């Protein structure tokens, strides 16, 4: 008995009758369905083991993902902005032994010696900034993404290919995507939002994906909306705020805009309605589980109802409480520094978010548990930034918080106790060598002593209150 249709099956269905239909547009590069399928089949012929790639271009990512599904091999899609230490740590956790690289015209596969099944001692020798790796047990091959989890060191999750494809089909149905429609996205292709909610979703629906992550400004977006007749725009609250302020003067109107990565503030929704007026809804998803909800009714404060194959509950019901998710299909595997507390897929899984369900089954997000910050749609684990800070010789202790920055967007702020004088320039150079740019603190505040209670627990609320009162130098 044949299995469920694959991503390659979906491409073949379009490439047959419509070989010249654009599949992916990235800058001045356009891949038709026939070209995308042909390149993916050629790459798949030499793709074995556990592969990794760096998401520099949406077109190359699309080819590599389709090739991995054809070859049925695991593929880790990495952040092009990550520091070398971060990439090495993710590849070690994922046990990648192949690297897919490309120059825009050709993709090649090379060996990654020393990164397969690394033990604790081996990992410590290669990447001293990170913990030893633990990989979950064997399972079906799938799409690997790096994620922070709710707290602690980052981990890699691996969603089986059938689950990725089925979830993308469900999201395409929720978006009501028709064959040939155009989806444009402003986030980088290593994001689950862009990769799964954008690229894979568009391809299974037979549409055209337009990548706007290189220059996601108002003029670029407006030109793309008119030039490609965009039907669905995927972006984040910070950029929708920018678009509202700068204006989007276009002849063509997308039928739906989707905001994700963080809740859309009510004032930004109102400003968007007054300045632009395009229909906007919210989406909620995670790297571990894919696309979970979609609001197409523009209900303020709601991220919508679950897509097909997803069950969301709140404990205690109806909330406020912890948001739990169950997804149809094979479970996600976890590659982490320590074994997960329970097998992935064993009953409803916590997302790390707090929310409530309204009487119509819509989810309303109220906040996030744990020490993960959300900076313009990027997840930043406070523990990772704190470990990097403590590795700097002049830092004795530190604490990282998320605080409102210019324009109201959240930014990373570090409070440090020092040994002697702190050379801020040297500290920033040190951090940029270990962390992605968006994880490096926007502000470093030197304090005599971090506030703690009688049990020694850090009082982050006092740090935030001090920031609000401008009490810290």
């Amino acid at each position: 008995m044949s299995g469920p249709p694959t991503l390659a099956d979906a491409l073949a269905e379009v490439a047959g009758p419509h070989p010249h239909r654009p599949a992916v547009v990235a800058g001045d590069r356009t891949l038709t369905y026939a070209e995308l399928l042909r390149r993916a089949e050629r790459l798949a012929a030499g793709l074995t083991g556990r592969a990794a790639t760096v998401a520099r271009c949406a077109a190359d990512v699309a080819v590599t993902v389709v090739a991995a599904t054809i070859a049925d091999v695991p593929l880790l899609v990495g952040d092009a902005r990550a520091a070398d230490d971060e990439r090495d740590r993710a590849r070690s956790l994922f046990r990648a032994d192949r690297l897919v690289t490309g120059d825009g015209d050709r993709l090649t596969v090379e060996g990654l010696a020393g990164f397969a099944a690394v033990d604790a001692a081996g990992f410590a020798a290669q990447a001293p900034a990170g913990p030893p790796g633990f990989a979950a047990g064997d399972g079906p091959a799938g799409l690997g993404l790096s994620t922070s989890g709710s707290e602690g060191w980052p981990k890699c999750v691996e969603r089986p290919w059938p689950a990725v494809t089925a979830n993308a089909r469900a999201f395409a149905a929720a978006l009501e995507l028709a064959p040939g429609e155009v989806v444009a996205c402003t986030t980088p292709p290593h994001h689950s939002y862009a990769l799964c909610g954008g690229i894979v979703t568009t391809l299974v629906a037979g549409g055209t994906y337009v990548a706007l992550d290189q220059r996601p400004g108002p003029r670029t977006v407006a030109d793309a909306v008119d030039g490609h007749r965009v039907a669905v725009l995927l972006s984040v609250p910070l950029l929708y705020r920018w678009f509202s302020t700068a204006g989007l003067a276009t002849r063509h109107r997308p039928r739906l805009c989707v905001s994700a990565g963080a809740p859309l503030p009510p004032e930004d929704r109102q400003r968007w309605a007054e300045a632009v007026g395009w229909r906007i809804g919210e989406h909620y998803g995670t790297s571990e589980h894919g696309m979970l909800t979609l609001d197409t009714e523009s209900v303020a404060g709601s991220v919508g109802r679950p897509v097909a194959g997803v069950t969301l509950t709140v404990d205690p019901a109806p909330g406020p409480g912890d948001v739990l998710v169950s997804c149809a299909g094979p479970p996600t595997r976890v590659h982490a520094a320590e074994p997960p507390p329970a097998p992935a897929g064993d009953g409803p899984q916590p997302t790390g978010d707090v929310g409530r369900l309204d009487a119509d089954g819509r989810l309303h997000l109220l906040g996030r548990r744990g020490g993960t910050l959300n900076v313009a749609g990027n997840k930043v684990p406070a523990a990772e930034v704190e470990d990097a800070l403590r590795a700097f010789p002049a830092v004795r202790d530190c604490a990282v918080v998320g605080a409102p920055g210019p324009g109201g967007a959240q930014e990373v702020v570090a409070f440090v106790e020092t040994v002697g004088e702190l050379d801020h320039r040297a500290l920033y150079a040190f951090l940029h060598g270990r962390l992605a740019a968006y994880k490096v603190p926007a502000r470093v505040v030197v304090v005599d002593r971090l506030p703690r209670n009688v049990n020694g627990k850090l009082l982050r609320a006092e740090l935030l209150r001090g920031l609000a009162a401008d009490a810290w130098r």
Side-chain angles (χ1 to χ4, degrees):
M1 180 181 295
S2 62
T6 66
L7 181 54
D9 293 335
L11 263 67
E13 290 177 3
V14 181
H18 306 287
H20 303 299
R21 176 181 294 172
V24 180
V25 179
D28 58 0
R29 291 185 62 192
T30 298
L31 281 180
T32 66
Y33 271 84
E35 291 170 332
L36 174 55
L37 188 58
R38 182 171 59 252
R39 293 190 183 192
E41 289 173 339
R42 186 166 60 240
L43 178 62
L47 197 56
T48 60
R50 296 183 62 83
T53 191
V54 177
R56 302 189 188 280
C57 171
D60 288 344
V61 170
V63 172
T64 309
V65 167
V66 176
T69 66
I70 295 173
D72 196 27
V73 299
L75 174 68
L76 174 67
V77 179
D79 181 358
R81 301 171 300 171
D84 288 343
D85 281 355
E86 293 176 303
R87 292 181 194 167
D88 290 349
R89 181 162 57 248
R91 291 168 184 169
S92 294
L93 291 176
F94 195 72
R95 298 178 298 160
D97 56 11
R98 300 288 188 277
L99 181 65
V100 180
T101 60
D103 58 7
D105 294 319
R106 184 183 177 196
L107 292 170
T108 58
V109 183
E110 58 189 66
L112 262 178
F115 282 97
V118 178
D119 60 18
F123 186 90
Q126 294 180 55
F134 170 87
D138 291 336
L143 174 65
L145 297 170
S146 295
T147 177
S148 63
S150 59
E151 47 186 83
W153 278 94
K155 60 188 178 185
C156 292
V157 297
E158 184 178 343
R159 296 177 57 218
W161 291 119
V164 172
T165 304
N167 183 234
R169 289 184 183 277
F171 194 54
L175 289 170
E176 299 181 338
L177 280 182
E181 281 198 309
V182 178
V183 175
C185 182
T186 64
T187 60
H190 73 277
H191 279 198
S192 177
Y193 184 29
L195 179 50
C196 299
I199 296 174
V200 180
T201 292
T202 304
L203 294 179
V204 299
T208 298
Y209 179 83
V210 177
L212 301 176
D213 56 288
Q214 296 298 317
R215 299 177 61 191
R219 178 174 295 180
T220 302
V221 171
D223 289 346
V225 167
D226 279 337
H228 297 284
R229 298 189 64 80
V230 171
V232 176
L233 175 64
L234 307 178
S235 194
V236 297
L238 185 65
L239 292 185
Y240 282 120
R241 182 184 306 138
W242 183 15
F243 303 155
S244 298
T245 302
L248 287 175
T250 64
R251 298 180 302 276
H252 175 74
R253 293 168 61 98
R255 62 174 177 79
L256 178 65
C257 299
V258 180
S259 179
L264 183 64
E267 58 273 21
D268 288 346
R269 180 184 286 271
Q270 181 62 33
R271 186 180 299 115
W272 173 266
E274 295 171 353
V276 181
W278 301 346
R279 184 165 65 114
I280 190 168
E282 294 193 63
H283 155 62
Y284 170 56
T286 67
S287 298
E288 294 88 343
H289 305 102
M291 290 71 73
L292 300 178
T293 72
L294 179 66
D295 164 46
T296 59
E297 303 167 298
S298 298
V299 177
S302 165
V303 292
R305 299 182 180 89
V307 302
V310 172
T311 301
L312 287 178
T313 56
V314 173
D315 183 25
D322 293 318
V323 179
L324 308 176
V325 59
S326 297
C327 296
T332 297
R333 298 174 63 202
V334 178
H335 305 271
E338 297 178 354
D346 184 16
Q349 299 292 305
T351 63
D353 292 298
V354 177
R356 66 175 179 85
L357 292 171
D358 65 22
D360 294 316
R362 300 186 187 92
L363 178 64
H364 297 250
L365 294 177
L366 305 175
R368 182 158 183 88
R369 295 217 185 276
T372 299
L373 315 180
N374 195 319
V375 179
N378 298 298
K379 299 297 175 58
V380 179
E384 182 185 10
V385 181
E386 289 168 355
D387 279 358
L389 284 163
R390 291 191 185 98
F392 189 71
V395 174
R396 180 173 55 210
D397 200 1
C398 63
V400 168
V401 300
Q410 190 175 60
E411 63 180 14
V412 181
V413 179
F415 294 84
V416 298
E417 296 178 10
T418 64
V419 179
E421 291 291 323
L422 178 66
D423 184 336
H424 282 75
R425 181 174 297 180
L427 174 61
Y428 276 106
F430 177 85
L431 294 176
H432 277 287
R434 291 177 174 242
L435 300 170
Y438 63 83
K439 296 179 182 178
V440 175
R443 294 176 57 190
V444 175
V445 181
V446 178
V447 296
D448 293 330
R449 190 165 297 279
L450 295 170
R452 299 182 182 275
N453 65 14
V454 293
N455 296 320
K457 182 178 179 180
L458 183 68
L459 302 176
R460 296 180 191 270
E462 287 196 14
L463 296 174
L464 291 170
R465 282 195 292 269
L467 278 178
D470 200 26
W472 305 105
R473 59 186 174 90

